[in-house]
């Protein structure tokens, strides 16, 4: 399988497991898990042909580690980024490093300065401990802006942080007072 095919299946899995499981008749439990065989069967019935080995290759090679397989390999879920109401993953609270980062585009800065970072249709705001990763995310949306988040200050104020299976930091929102930008 070539990179283009892997990327297409990765995007399909992201769409199904994060946003629209009903689009192929898949049901996710409250932690976002679904049966691998059922997912493959339903995807194939909806014109998206791939097998278990292909799915395993996509999970293994995904550079953002977007997917998690259960220990027995029978279930799969998106690591984070859910917008579907079927999923309410109970992440474990974890103390973040003193600073985290968020990448965005300059065209969103007026809104961010007014209301901070909000999750939009997702369940959480996504942050990283790697400024290069955040900047790469920002570049996807236009002229990038790297935001530094005072995670220590937020934590001291009682804000809860979580870390997804793939290392992405999650928080309900980030008030503008805890943000500084590095253009």
């Amino acid at each position: 399988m070539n990179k283009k095919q892997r990327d297409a299946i990765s995007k399909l899995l992201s769409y199904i497991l994060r946003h629209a499981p009903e689009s192929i008749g898949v049901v996710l439990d409250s932690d976002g898990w679904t049966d691998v065989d059922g997912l493959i069967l339903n995807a194939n019935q909806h014109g998206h042909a791939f097998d278990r080995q292909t799915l395993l290759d996509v999970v293994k090679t995904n550079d953002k580690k977007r997917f998690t397989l259960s220990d027995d390999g029978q279930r799969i879920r998106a690591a984070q980024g859910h917008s579907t109401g079927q999923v309410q993953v109970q992440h474990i609270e974890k103390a973040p490093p003193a600073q985290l980062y968020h990448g965005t585009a300059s065209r969103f800065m007026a809104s961010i300065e007014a209301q901070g970072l909000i999750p939009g249709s997702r369940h959480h705001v996504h942050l990283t401990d790697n400024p290069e990763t955040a900047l790469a995310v920002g570049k996807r949306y236009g002229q990038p802006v790297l935001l530094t988040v005072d995670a220590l200050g937020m934590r001291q104020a009682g804000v809860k942080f979580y870390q997804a299976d793939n290392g992405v930091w999650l928080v309900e929102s980030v008030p503008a007072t805890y943000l500084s930008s590095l253009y």
Side-chain angles (χ1 to χ4, degrees), residues 5-20:
Q5 292 168 316
R6 258 196 317 272
D7 288 350
I9 293 169
S10 177
K11 287 179 182 181
L12 173 70
L13 291 175
S14 288
Y15 176 70
I16 293 166
L17 297 174
R18 294 166 113 187
H19 310 297

Side-chain angles (χ1 to χ4, degrees), residues 77-151:
R77 72 177 177 184
Q80 91 313 305
H82 301 93
S83 65
T84 177
Q86 290 181 29
V87 177
Q88 295 296 324
V89 177
Q90 299 301 311
H91 296 287
I92 297 170
E93 185 178 353
K94 187 173 178 182
Q99 288 187 329
L100 291 170
Y101 304 94
H102 182 84
T104 190
S106 59
R107 70 177 188 263
F108 301 130
M109 285 307 296
S111 173
I112 291 170
E113 288 166 355
Q115 62 185 359
L117 295 173
I118 59 173
S121 64
R122 295 183 178 183
H123 297 176
H124 295 95
V125 171
H126 297 181
L127 306 171
T128 180
D129 55 10
N130 184 308
E132 291 81 20
T133 299
L135 201 54
V137 169
K139 287 180 182 178
R140 294 191 327 213
Y141 301 103
Q143 180 63 39
V145 176
L146 178 62
L147 299 172
T148 301
V149 177
D150 178 10

Side-chain angles (χ1 to χ4, degrees), residues 23-121:
S23 68
I24 64 164
V26 170
V27 176
L28 306 177
D29 71 14
S30 63
D31 285 323
W33 294 105
T34 193
D35 178 72
V36 168
D37 293 332
L39 172 68
I40 293 167
L41 177 67
N42 285 29
N44 279 270
Q45 289 175 345
H46 284 81
H48 308 287
F50 60 89
D51 59 17
R52 179 179 277 272
Q53 188 56 53
T54 301
L55 180 127
L56 295 176
D57 288 345
V58 167
V59 170
K60 182 180 176 182
T61 61
N62 186 271
D63 59 342
K64 296 179 183 173
K65 304 292 182 212
R66 286 193 166 136
F67 314 107
T68 304
L69 283 172
S70 61
D71 290 338
D72 64 5
Q74 298 305 306
R75 297 179 305 144
I76 188 172
R77 72 177 177 184
Q80 91 313 305
H82 301 93
S83 65
T84 177
Q86 290 181 29
V87 177
Q88 295 296 324
V89 177
Q90 299 301 311
H91 296 287
I92 297 170
E93 185 178 353
K94 187 173 178 182
Q99 288 187 329
L100 291 170
Y101 304 94
H102 182 84
T104 190
S106 59
R107 70 177 188 263
F108 301 130
M109 285 307 296
S111 173
I112 291 170
E113 288 166 355
Q115 62 185 359
L117 295 173
I118 59 173
S121 64

